[in-house]
């Protein structure tokens, strides 16, 4: 039987979908493109915004239309956020618990043709173990080390749909990464819903795990998917200073550069703390790439407060800013806030901050002109290859090189969004 899987949202969802695909493959199912006619469709949904909800619904309905006789499974955050939902044509509904049992649920449904709903009032405190041995046709492998969040930022639904923080046993993390390294993956990405809060439930912490991971024989590069500024403590910074295995890139969410808006968002730091930590990181690694997330148009964000945020982003000289217009998310505290910002104003602010991001990114790229860089090749087409460096520069080089290989190049030109590399065999 043919299985098609569609993934929305974050890296954790991507990891979970890869795990689900491996479960079906182990049982002899044929995992194919979601766009093909399949016997089983699985939509791993997202609910971070109301728009994400709409996209999740759209993909569910698309599967139902493509093959009305197929077994359609909807799982993940959108289902978790809407426990009472009923969508005609969906045969199995799973929230964010028991995804590891999906094959048995599908086989039960195929046998009985009775709808299955696996939704719970409490996601519990146990981490649902998953382990992957390969990562599809990707050049880097994600490893989910943590689930859940308890920050309760006022704009965010995730703590309500992912539950409390729970962490993977460190021995299992080390085992999984070791297996992936032995399978030939040069880069491993540590990911979670609140990655830097790893270990809060296991009497350990992220730095201790990272220290163990860095000792894995044959590990070439480890990348941290995202980490809060408050979790980049002295122990993590010491590892950053002493290990070349840690990628030369950190994604550190800011969300706003306005102190007043930070407080309204329930962020756990102030501008001075953020600035001081970035300065320390750049003392350790002067050429590090630091990217961030920023929300514009949060309720109460006046033109003056937006300008404050803009100037702070400019001062921090990020290598890239992922800009999002604030979107009302039903069920969050901010959805009830007064002084909602007009859609056109939000659009204008997105444009302004995106333009700044492009300028900062291009300026960062130009720092590496005429430098030798190592590129992990991700894809080839039309006689050229594309990949990323340790500091996440997107590099295009003439010639077709095997996916997953590392090559040495010299950056000869900038053609945004690419750095142009010339192959060097030295």
């Amino acid at each position: 039987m043919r299985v098609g899987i569609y993934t929305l949202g974050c890296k954790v969802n991507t990891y979970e979908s890869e795990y689900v695909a491996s479960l079906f493959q182990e049982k002899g199912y044929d995992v194919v493109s979601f766009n093909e006619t399949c016997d089983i469709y699985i939509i791993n949904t997202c609910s971070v915004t109301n728009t994400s909800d709409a996209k999740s619904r759209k993909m569910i309905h698309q599967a139902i239309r493509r093959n009305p006789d197929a077994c359609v499974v909807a799982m993940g955050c959108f289902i978790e956020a809407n426990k009472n939902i009923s969508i005609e044509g969906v045969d199995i509904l799973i929230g964010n618990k028991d995804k590891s049992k999906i094959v048995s649920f599908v086989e039960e449904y195929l046998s009985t043709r009775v709808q299955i709903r696996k939704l719970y009032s409490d996601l519990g405190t146990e981490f649902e173990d998953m382990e992957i041995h390969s990562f599809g046709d990707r050049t880097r492998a994600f490893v989910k080390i943590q689930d859940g969040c308890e920050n309760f930022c006022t704009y965010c639904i995730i703590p309500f749909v992912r539950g409390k923080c729970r962490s993977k046993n460190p021995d299992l993390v080390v085992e999984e990464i070791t297996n992936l390294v032995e399978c030939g993956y040069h880069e491993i990405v540590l990911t979670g819903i609140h990655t830097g809060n790893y270990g809060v439930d296991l009497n350990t912490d992220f730095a201790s795990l990272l220290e163990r991971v860095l000792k894995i024989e044959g590990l070439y590069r480890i990348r941290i998917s995202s980490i809060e500024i408050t979790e980049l403590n002295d122990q993590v910074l010491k590892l950053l200073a002493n290990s070349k295995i840690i990628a030369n890139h950190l994604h550190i969410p800011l969300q706003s550069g306005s102190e007043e808006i930070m407080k309204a968002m329930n962020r756990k730091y102030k501008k001075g703390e953020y600035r001081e930590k970035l300065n320390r990181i750049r003392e350790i690694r002067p050429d590090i790439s630091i990217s961030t997330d920023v929300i514009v148009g949060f309720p109460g964000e006046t033109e003056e407060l937006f300008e404050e945020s803009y100037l702070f982003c400019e001062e921090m000289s990020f290598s890239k800013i992922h800009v999002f217009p604030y979107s009302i998310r039903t069920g969050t505290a901010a959805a009830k806030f007064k002084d909602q910002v007009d859609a056109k104003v939000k659009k204008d602010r997105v444009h302004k901050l995106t333009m700044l991001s492009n300028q900062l990114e291009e300026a960062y790229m130009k720092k590496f002109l005429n430098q030798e860089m190592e590129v992990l090749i991700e894809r080839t087409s039309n006689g050229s290859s594309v990949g990323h460096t340790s500091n996440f520069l997107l590099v295009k080089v003439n010639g077709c090189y095997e996916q997953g290989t590392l090559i040495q190049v010299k950056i000869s030109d900038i053609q945004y969004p690419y750095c142009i590399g010339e192959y060097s065999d030295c």
Side-chain angles (χ1 to χ4, degrees), residues 15 18 130-136 138-144 168 172-190 216-220 222:
Y15 174 91
E18 287 287 343
M130 301 178 182
E131 181 180 356
I132 58 173
H133 298 280
S134 65
F135 217 75
R138 296 170 186 268
T139 55
R140 56 178 59 84
F142 299 164
V143 173
K144 177 185 170 184
K168 189 168 191 169
L172 295 179
V173 174
V174 170
E175 178 185 311
E176 183 171 10
I177 294 175
T178 300
N179 290 336
L180 288 165
V181 169
E182 289 174 355
C183 287
Y185 287 91
H186 291 295
E187 183 175 309
I188 306 296
V189 183
L190 299 179
I216 294 173
E217 187 175 349
L219 176 63
Y220 189 82
I222 197 82

Side-chain angles (χ1 to χ4, degrees), residues 400-419:
C400 295
Y401 300 94
E402 187 178 350
Q403 185 184 44
T405 58
L406 289 154
I407 67 168
Q408 197 77 10
V409 305
K410 183 178 181 180
I411 305 300
S412 60
D413 193 14
I414 306 299
Q415 295 178 11
Y416 185 83
Y418 296 105
C419 290

